[in-house]
Structures are given as structure tokens and as C-alpha cells.
Amino acid sequence: MKKINYIALVVAIIFSVVASFDNCYAKKKSKPRKTKTTTEVVISAPKQSIVMDFDTGEIISEINSNERCTPSSMTKIMTLYLVFEALAEGKLHLDEELPVSEKAKNQEGSRSFFEAGSLVSVQDLILSMIVHSGNDACVVVAEKLAGDEDAFATMMNEKAEQFGLKDTHFMNSTGLPNEEHYSSVHDLAIISRHIIADFPEYYHYFAEKTFTANGITQHNRNTLLGNSLNIDGLKTGHTNAGGFGIVISGKKDEKRLIAIVNGCKSEKARAIEANKILAMGFNEYIPVKIAKKDAPIAMAAVQFGKRDKINLYTDEDITALIPKKYRQSLVVGINVKEPIPAPILAGAKVGTLTYKYGHHSSKEYELFAHEPVSKMNMVEIIVCKLKTWFNNKKSNTEMPGLAVASTKENN
């Protein structure tokens, strides 16, 4: 037998192990280096949305704005409207203290945790409803104003009818889920517009960011308050059925807009989407003065009057928010049945005004006569008719004062 060279064998084994190690290291080194990846968060569009011009009530943009939806705690803007109305009528007072019932204490959802039997001021109840979205506070005021919540819901529906809301029906003061409790973002915008216009003295409560009750401080769920768009209201809402929603309003360059989104998937989504559409309203639209209150906007011919023409006025300032691209194509229409027969009383409605751009037509604004016009007597009427007959025979021209501007409709 050949003698084994143990030294050579050991050396060979060592080299084999080292080579194997090098190969493993090389493979490991050749693998592509792992890099950190970031996942982009996609915010889906809301199911319903609207942007409304506060001054005119015109809709700037919308998605399913008349679709019936679950309003969740955005319901509370109607509850608050009725509270503000009661304050204005002297039926409630801010420092008045109201009792908390067992029903109020045991409400589900967001609360201020008022104890049954305790007394809470109306002002604190308002702040509870706005900042805490307090369902207990809603029931307290509902029981005070109507006796019970069912009767208060009837009051809410009566007010909705007064406002001309077509897609709204309330079953409670809180917005807690009920199949027969619904609204639309368009209707919610109308209620919000009424709150801001009818009760400016109470609107500041919507801008409160915190409120402390029973030693517990809670923050307003409207995280957009006081941002660069000067958002100063109004109310958030969330239920499983309705998703996340919010009503906001902001004022920029003396122009106020109301924006609403609903059916969002998270608090973050509703804040982003609401802020986005409000910013769009301010950035992509420009205010254009259509008419100024107490300044004549047009003239119309008068039939058999002591004056042959009369100035037309609106009873309000009209400023349209229109897309910048339509600025040069804005058309204002004056619709008057001419000549207007005398006598004409001061303040008489004599026509309407509308404006158009693109495919959009505004609502009708009423036009009024500021100055009265007396009717001619019989002799004057006969003389007027003779002059008209003579002028028509002399030339084929119209009677002075009957020519209508191109923006008018001559009926």
C-alpha cells in the first residue's frame, strides 16, 4: 500500500473549504442590492361633492350633488340652525342652562359625556355639537325646543321644506344611522349657506378648535380650520353607511365658497379632497361683477307713461364666479317685455337678468323699477298715438324708446 501523505491531504481540504467560501461570498455579493420602496397612497374621489358660491348660490362644480346620501353628523348643521333661530327669537339664551336627560346621556357615538341630571349652558351645548360632535348635546336641545327628539325631527323637516330641499328627510337630531334619514350634498350646502347668511353673529363658533367639558378636552375633527384657504367652518361627519364627509367654508379676496365631500374612505381623504375642491374654486374661477345694487343696469321703454324710458335695477350685488377661460365669453341677458305699460310703481318687478358662459346658465335675478312713472291722460295718449302714426308714415322707423338692446328679449 502506498503511504498516505497526510500533510498534502490536509492542505487540499483547506483549499477546498476556502474556495467554497469564496464562491458563496461571490454569489452573495453579486445579488442585486435591496432598496427601500415607498407605496404611493391613492386617495379615491368622494362619492358626492359640491362647491357653491355663497353670494349667489351658484354651483361651481359637483359630483352627484343631488344624490341621496347618509349625512352622518353633518346633520347637526340643521340642528344648529334651529338652535340659532331659537336664540334670535328669544326662545333660548346663551347662558341659559338646560337639563341633561337619561336619553341624552345614553346616546351612542361621539359625546361630551354630560351626566344625567346635570345642567349645561346653551353656549356649551353649541360648542359640544360643533367641536365634539356631541350627540348628547343634540338631544338636550331637541328636548328643550320640541319636547322630544321625534318632534324635533319634524321641526327639522319643516325647515327643510321652507328651504326648498328636495332630497332631505331627517329622523333624528344627531345623524345616527336610520334608513329614512338622508340628505344630499346640495341640500347640505343650502343649509350651510342659510346658517352663514342668517346668523353671522353665531358663525364664529364653527371656528373653535378645542372645547373642554367635564374636564375632558376634545379637538375639532375639522382639521382644515384656519389653513391657507381661511377655512372657518362648518362640520364633519362619519358613519359606516355614509363614509367620511365634511362641510367646509372659506373666504378669500372677499369671496366666500362652501364645499362638501361625502363618501370618503378616511379622515385624511376627506380633508384632502375637500381642501382640493375649495382651492380649485378659488384658483380656477374669478369673480366678475355683473350688477351693483342701486346702480342702473339697463333701460326699458315705457308705454303711455309720463316718461318714455325707465332704469332697471337689481336689489342685490351680483358677482359671478366664472372659469377664467370663459372671462371673455360671458354674456349677460336682460329679459324685459317692452314696452312696459304705465303706470309703474316704485319697486315694481319689471324683468329678469341672467348670465351665461360655456354651457352654464345662471338662475334668474329679478329687475325692479326704482322710480315711479305716471300714466298719460287720455288727451296725451291720443296725441302720442297720432305722433306715432305720423312718424311711421313719414319713415319706416320704430317709435323712440322701443328699440331693445341686443341682450334683451323683445316679446
Side-chain angles (χ1 to χ4, degrees), residues 54-57 193 289-295 297 313-319 363-366 368 370:
F54 166 73
D55 291 326
T56 65
R193 186 171 180 238
K289 180 69 74 174
I290 302 295
K292 186 177 181 181
K293 183 180 179 181
D294 298 328
I297 190 171
Y313 299 80
T314 61
D315 63 350
E316 59 182 313
D317 292 335
I318 302 175
T319 301
K363 67 179 184 181
E364 292 187 342
Y365 297 88
E366 292 182 332
F368 301 87
H370 275 202

Short mmCIF file of all heavy atoms in Angstrom, two decimals, residues 54-57 193 289-295 297 313-319 363-366 368 370:
data_model
loop_
_atom_site.label_atom_id
_atom_site.label_comp_id
_atom_site.label_asym_id
_atom_site.label_seq_id
_atom_site.Cartn_x
_atom_site.Cartn_y
_atom_site.Cartn_z
N PHE A 54 -71.15 81.22 -2.20
CA PHE A 54 -72.01 81.65 -1.09
C PHE A 54 -72.89 82.83 -1.49
O PHE A 54 -74.07 82.87 -1.16
CB PHE A 54 -71.15 82.03 0.12
CG PHE A 54 -71.91 82.78 1.18
CD1 PHE A 54 -72.82 82.12 1.99
CD2 PHE A 54 -71.72 84.15 1.35
CE1 PHE A 54 -73.54 82.82 2.96
CE2 PHE A 54 -72.42 84.85 2.31
CZ PHE A 54 -73.33 84.18 3.13
N ASP A 55 -72.35 83.81 -2.19
CA ASP A 55 -73.09 85.03 -2.51
C ASP A 55 -74.29 84.76 -3.41
O ASP A 55 -75.36 85.34 -3.21
CB ASP A 55 -72.17 86.05 -3.16
CG ASP A 55 -71.15 86.61 -2.19
OD1 ASP A 55 -71.48 86.75 -1.00
OD2 ASP A 55 -70.02 86.90 -2.61
N THR A 56 -74.12 83.94 -4.40
CA THR A 56 -75.16 83.74 -5.41
C THR A 56 -75.89 82.41 -5.29
O THR A 56 -76.97 82.24 -5.86
CB THR A 56 -74.57 83.83 -6.82
OG1 THR A 56 -73.65 82.75 -7.03
CG2 THR A 56 -73.83 85.15 -7.03
N GLY A 57 -75.29 81.44 -4.59
CA GLY A 57 -75.89 80.11 -4.55
C GLY A 57 -75.60 79.29 -5.79
O GLY A 57 -76.09 78.16 -5.93
N ARG A 193 -75.38 77.56 3.77
CA ARG A 193 -75.49 78.95 3.27
C ARG A 193 -76.45 79.75 4.13
O ARG A 193 -76.22 80.92 4.44
CB ARG A 193 -75.93 78.93 1.81
CG ARG A 193 -75.95 80.29 1.15
CD ARG A 193 -76.20 80.17 -0.35
NE ARG A 193 -76.22 81.48 -0.99
CZ ARG A 193 -77.25 81.94 -1.69
NH1 ARG A 193 -78.34 81.19 -1.87
NH2 ARG A 193 -77.20 83.15 -2.23
N LYS A 289 -68.05 91.21 -11.59
CA LYS A 289 -69.19 91.98 -11.13
C LYS A 289 -70.21 92.11 -12.26
O LYS A 289 -69.92 92.64 -13.32
CB LYS A 289 -68.73 93.38 -10.70
CG LYS A 289 -69.85 94.27 -10.19
CD LYS A 289 -70.41 93.81 -8.86
CE LYS A 289 -69.48 94.11 -7.71
NZ LYS A 289 -70.07 93.80 -6.40
N ILE A 290 -71.41 91.58 -12.02
CA ILE A 290 -72.48 91.62 -13.00
C ILE A 290 -73.37 92.84 -12.78
O ILE A 290 -73.73 93.55 -13.72
CB ILE A 290 -73.34 90.35 -12.93
CG1 ILE A 290 -72.49 89.10 -13.16
CG2 ILE A 290 -74.49 90.41 -13.93
CD1 ILE A 290 -71.89 88.98 -14.53
N ALA A 291 -73.72 93.08 -11.54
CA ALA A 291 -74.60 94.21 -11.23
C ALA A 291 -74.31 94.70 -9.82
O ALA A 291 -73.90 93.94 -8.95
CB ALA A 291 -76.07 93.80 -11.34
N LYS A 292 -74.53 95.99 -9.63
CA LYS A 292 -74.36 96.60 -8.31
C LYS A 292 -75.70 97.13 -7.84
O LYS A 292 -76.41 97.81 -8.59
CB LYS A 292 -73.33 97.73 -8.38
CG LYS A 292 -72.99 98.32 -7.02
CD LYS A 292 -71.91 99.38 -7.15
CE LYS A 292 -71.56 99.95 -5.78
NZ LYS A 292 -70.51 101.01 -5.89
N LYS A 293 -76.03 96.78 -6.60
CA LYS A 293 -77.30 97.23 -6.04
C LYS A 293 -77.41 98.76 -6.10
O LYS A 293 -76.44 99.47 -5.85
CB LYS A 293 -77.40 96.75 -4.59
CG LYS A 293 -78.71 97.10 -3.90
CD LYS A 293 -78.72 96.60 -2.48
CE LYS A 293 -80.03 96.98 -1.78
NZ LYS A 293 -80.06 96.52 -0.37
N ASP A 294 -78.59 99.23 -6.47
CA ASP A 294 -78.90 100.66 -6.54
C ASP A 294 -78.18 101.38 -7.68
O ASP A 294 -78.22 102.62 -7.74
CB ASP A 294 -78.58 101.36 -5.21
CG ASP A 294 -79.42 100.82 -4.07
OD1 ASP A 294 -80.57 100.43 -4.33
OD2 ASP A 294 -78.94 100.79 -2.92
N ALA A 295 -77.55 100.64 -8.58
CA ALA A 295 -76.95 101.26 -9.77
C ALA A 295 -77.72 100.74 -10.99
O ALA A 295 -77.91 99.53 -11.13
CB ALA A 295 -75.48 100.91 -9.89
N ILE A 297 -78.74 99.14 -14.35
CA ILE A 297 -78.03 98.17 -15.17
C ILE A 297 -78.50 98.20 -16.62
O ILE A 297 -77.80 97.78 -17.53
CB ILE A 297 -78.16 96.75 -14.59
CG1 ILE A 297 -77.20 95.80 -15.32
CG2 ILE A 297 -79.59 96.24 -14.65
CD1 ILE A 297 -77.10 94.44 -14.69
N TYR A 313 -83.05 98.07 -12.16
CA TYR A 313 -82.11 97.83 -11.06
C TYR A 313 -82.27 96.42 -10.51
O TYR A 313 -83.35 95.81 -10.62
CB TYR A 313 -82.37 98.80 -9.89
CG TYR A 313 -82.22 100.26 -10.23
CD1 TYR A 313 -83.24 100.97 -10.88
CD2 TYR A 313 -81.07 100.96 -9.85
CE1 TYR A 313 -83.11 102.31 -11.16
CE2 TYR A 313 -80.94 102.32 -10.13
CZ TYR A 313 -81.96 102.99 -10.79
OH TYR A 313 -81.83 104.32 -11.05
N THR A 314 -81.21 95.90 -9.91
CA THR A 314 -81.30 94.68 -9.11
C THR A 314 -81.39 95.11 -7.65
O THR A 314 -81.00 96.22 -7.28
CB THR A 314 -80.07 93.78 -9.30
OG1 THR A 314 -78.90 94.50 -8.90
CG2 THR A 314 -79.94 93.35 -10.75
N ASP A 315 -81.90 94.22 -6.80
CA ASP A 315 -81.99 94.54 -5.37
C ASP A 315 -80.83 93.95 -4.58
O ASP A 315 -80.88 93.84 -3.36
CB ASP A 315 -83.32 94.07 -4.78
CG ASP A 315 -83.48 92.55 -4.84
OD1 ASP A 315 -82.64 91.89 -5.51
OD2 ASP A 315 -84.41 92.02 -4.22
N GLU A 316 -79.77 93.52 -5.29
CA GLU A 316 -78.60 92.95 -4.65
C GLU A 316 -77.39 93.10 -5.55
O GLU A 316 -77.51 93.28 -6.76
CB GLU A 316 -78.83 91.46 -4.35
CG GLU A 316 -79.12 90.64 -5.61
CD GLU A 316 -79.40 89.18 -5.32
OE1 GLU A 316 -78.62 88.58 -4.55
OE2 GLU A 316 -80.38 88.64 -5.87
N ASP A 317 -76.21 93.06 -4.92
CA ASP A 317 -74.99 92.98 -5.72
C ASP A 317 -74.89 91.59 -6.32
O ASP A 317 -75.11 90.60 -5.63
CB ASP A 317 -73.76 93.24 -4.85
CG ASP A 317 -73.68 94.68 -4.36
OD1 ASP A 317 -74.26 95.56 -5.03
OD2 ASP A 317 -73.07 94.92 -3.31
N ILE A 318 -74.57 91.51 -7.59
CA ILE A 318 -74.43 90.20 -8.25
C ILE A 318 -73.00 90.07 -8.76
O ILE A 318 -72.56 90.83 -9.62
CB ILE A 318 -75.41 90.05 -9.43
CG1 ILE A 318 -76.85 90.22 -8.95
CG2 ILE A 318 -75.22 88.69 -10.10
CD1 ILE A 318 -77.87 90.22 -10.09
N THR A 319 -72.27 89.14 -8.18
CA THR A 319 -70.91 88.84 -8.61
C THR A 319 -70.85 87.37 -9.00
O THR A 319 -71.15 86.50 -8.18
CB THR A 319 -69.89 89.12 -7.50
OG1 THR A 319 -69.98 90.49 -7.13
CG2 THR A 319 -68.48 88.83 -7.97
N LYS A 363 -79.13 81.28 -12.58
CA LYS A 363 -80.54 81.44 -12.18
C LYS A 363 -80.99 82.84 -12.62
O LYS A 363 -80.18 83.68 -13.02
CB LYS A 363 -80.68 81.28 -10.68
CG LYS A 363 -80.02 82.39 -9.87
CD LYS A 363 -80.23 82.19 -8.37
CE LYS A 363 -79.65 83.37 -7.58
NZ LYS A 363 -79.83 83.20 -6.12
N GLU A 364 -82.29 83.10 -12.51
CA GLU A 364 -82.82 84.41 -12.86
C GLU A 364 -82.77 85.34 -11.66
O GLU A 364 -83.13 84.96 -10.55
CB GLU A 364 -84.26 84.29 -13.37
CG GLU A 364 -84.38 83.58 -14.71
CD GLU A 364 -85.80 83.63 -15.25
OE1 GLU A 364 -86.73 83.89 -14.45
OE2 GLU A 364 -85.99 83.42 -16.46
N TYR A 365 -82.30 86.56 -11.91
CA TYR A 365 -82.31 87.61 -10.89
C TYR A 365 -83.36 88.64 -11.29
O TYR A 365 -83.42 89.07 -12.44
CB TYR A 365 -80.94 88.28 -10.80
CG TYR A 365 -79.84 87.36 -10.35
CD1 TYR A 365 -79.12 86.60 -11.28
CD2 TYR A 365 -79.51 87.24 -9.01
CE1 TYR A 365 -78.10 85.74 -10.88
CE2 TYR A 365 -78.49 86.38 -8.59
CZ TYR A 365 -77.79 85.64 -9.53
OH TYR A 365 -76.79 84.80 -9.12
N GLU A 366 -84.18 89.06 -10.35
CA GLU A 366 -85.27 89.97 -10.67
C GLU A 366 -84.77 91.41 -10.84
O GLU A 366 -83.84 91.84 -10.16
CB GLU A 366 -86.34 89.92 -9.58
CG GLU A 366 -87.07 88.58 -9.55
CD GLU A 366 -88.16 88.54 -8.50
OE1 GLU A 366 -88.02 89.26 -7.48
OE2 GLU A 366 -89.13 87.78 -8.67
N PHE A 368 -85.98 95.54 -11.06
CA PHE A 368 -87.02 96.38 -10.48
C PHE A 368 -86.94 97.81 -11.03
O PHE A 368 -85.89 98.26 -11.48
CB PHE A 368 -86.87 96.45 -8.95
CG PHE A 368 -86.94 95.12 -8.28
CD1 PHE A 368 -85.80 94.33 -8.14
CD2 PHE A 368 -88.14 94.65 -7.78
CE1 PHE A 368 -85.86 93.10 -7.53
CE2 PHE A 368 -88.21 93.42 -7.16
CZ PHE A 368 -87.07 92.63 -7.03
N HIS A 370 -87.06 101.62 -9.85
CA HIS A 370 -86.89 102.41 -8.63
C HIS A 370 -87.78 103.65 -8.64
O HIS A 370 -88.29 104.07 -7.60
CB HIS A 370 -85.43 102.83 -8.45
CG HIS A 370 -84.60 101.79 -7.78
ND1 HIS A 370 -83.42 102.09 -7.13
CD2 HIS A 370 -84.78 100.46 -7.64
CE1 HIS A 370 -82.92 100.98 -6.63
NE2 HIS A 370 -83.70 99.98 -6.94
#
